[in-house]
């Protein structure tokens, strides 16, 4: 096991073709903050949200793995706006999804991508690392302005967490992810 285990959080490149596209827009602006950072490899790291769940999240089992951060791209004098806000990894009916906060409707989430875990490991005894392929969901086609069809691949995601932050949720999540590997 590595002494340099990744920092607990979610690491994602979103979609490289999209990033190349927006980089060519003359007035493109990118905002990264509120718990998200841009790594030297060009990936976005969303910090693990360890605050206690509230409301409907407190009653769900297994609950979501919650990450925090804000990544936004704007361009074309405001005609383009793509927002990835506070991503969560959720398990619903045996399907793992990446959801994001809906920037237009507080307290609602958009199922963004179906996740297919292909590698689940312990980086250290206290850090789980899950690598997963991602596929755009129908509910999120509008997030990218209709440029990509449902089912199209996005970049793989790597999410890490410390199981002890909520051992019952993490154990259930680990079992669910491992069963699909």
């Amino acid at each position: 096991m590595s002494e340099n285990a990744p920092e607990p959080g979610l690491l994602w490149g979103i979609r490289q073709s999209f990033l190349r596209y927006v980089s060519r827009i003359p007035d493109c602006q990118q905002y990264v903050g509120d718990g998200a950072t841009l790594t030297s490899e060009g990936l976005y790291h969303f910090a693990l949200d360890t605050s206690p769940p509230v409301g409907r999240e407190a009653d769900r089992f297994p609950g979501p793995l919650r990450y925090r951060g804000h990544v936004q791209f704007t361009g074309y004098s405001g005609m383009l706006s793509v927002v990835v806000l506070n991503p969560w990894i959720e398990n619903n009916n045996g399907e793992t999804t990446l959801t994001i906060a809906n920037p237009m409707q507080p307290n609602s989430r958009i199922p963004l991508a179906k996740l297919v875990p292909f590698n689940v490991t312990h980086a250290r005894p206290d850090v789980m690392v899950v690598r997963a392929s991602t596929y755009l969901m129908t509910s999120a086609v509008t997030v990218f302005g209709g440029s990509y069809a449902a089912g199209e691949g996005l970049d793989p995601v790597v999410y890490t967490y410390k199981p002890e932050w909520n051992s019952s949720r993490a154990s259930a999540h680990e079992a669910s992810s491992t069963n699909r590997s």
Side-chain angles (χ1 to χ4, degrees):
M1 287 186 232
S2 170
E3 286 295 311
N4 299 320
E7 191 67 30
L10 183 141
L11 192 62
W12 191 32
I14 302 175
R15 183 175 166 130
Q16 291 306 301
S17 62
F18 171 75
L19 298 179
R20 284 190 301 274
Y21 167 71
V22 297
S23 73
R24 294 188 303 266
I25 297 172
D27 68 338
C28 180
Q29 297 289 311
Q30 178 180 200
Y31 171 80
V32 179
D34 303 328
T37 56
L38 181 60
T39 70
S40 59
E41 296 84 21
L43 302 173
Y44 299 92
H45 180 268
F46 295 86
L48 180 66
D49 184 351
T50 58
S51 62
V54 295
R56 70 179 185 89
E57 277 41 284
D59 299 329
R60 292 173 54 200
F61 182 83
L65 295 173
R66 298 176 306 136
Y67 303 92
R68 61 184 176 79
H70 184 164
V71 175
Q72 181 171 4
F73 304 91
T74 58
Y76 297 126
S77 300
M79 296 298 292
L80 170 78
S81 180
V82 173
V83 179
V84 177
L85 181 63
N86 298 332
W88 291 0
I89 305 297
E90 301 191 54
N91 284 305
N92 294 306
N93 302 319
E95 182 170 88
T96 304
T97 57
L98 172 70
T99 67
I100 57 172
N102 186 335
M104 305 305 286
Q105 295 179 355
N107 302 316
S108 70
R109 303 198 61 78
I110 300 168
L112 182 70
K114 176 182 178 181
L115 273 61
V116 179
F118 58 84
N119 185 272
V120 180
T121 60
H122 283 275
R124 295 189 315 242
D126 67 332
V127 178
M128 291 294 303
V129 179
V130 179
R131 289 171 174 77
S133 300
T134 61
Y135 301 94
L136 187 65
M137 297 181 76
T138 301
S139 54
V141 167
T142 58
V143 169
F144 292 98
S147 296
Y148 307 109
E152 281 194 51
L154 302 173
D155 283 4
V157 68
V158 177
Y159 54 101
T160 60
Y161 61 96
K162 292 186 174 191
E164 73 271 7
W165 75 270
N166 186 329
S167 60
S168 63
R169 288 181 177 195
S171 295
H173 181 78
E174 178 183 346
S176 173
S177 295
T178 303
N179 289 339
R180 277 185 253 120
S181 298

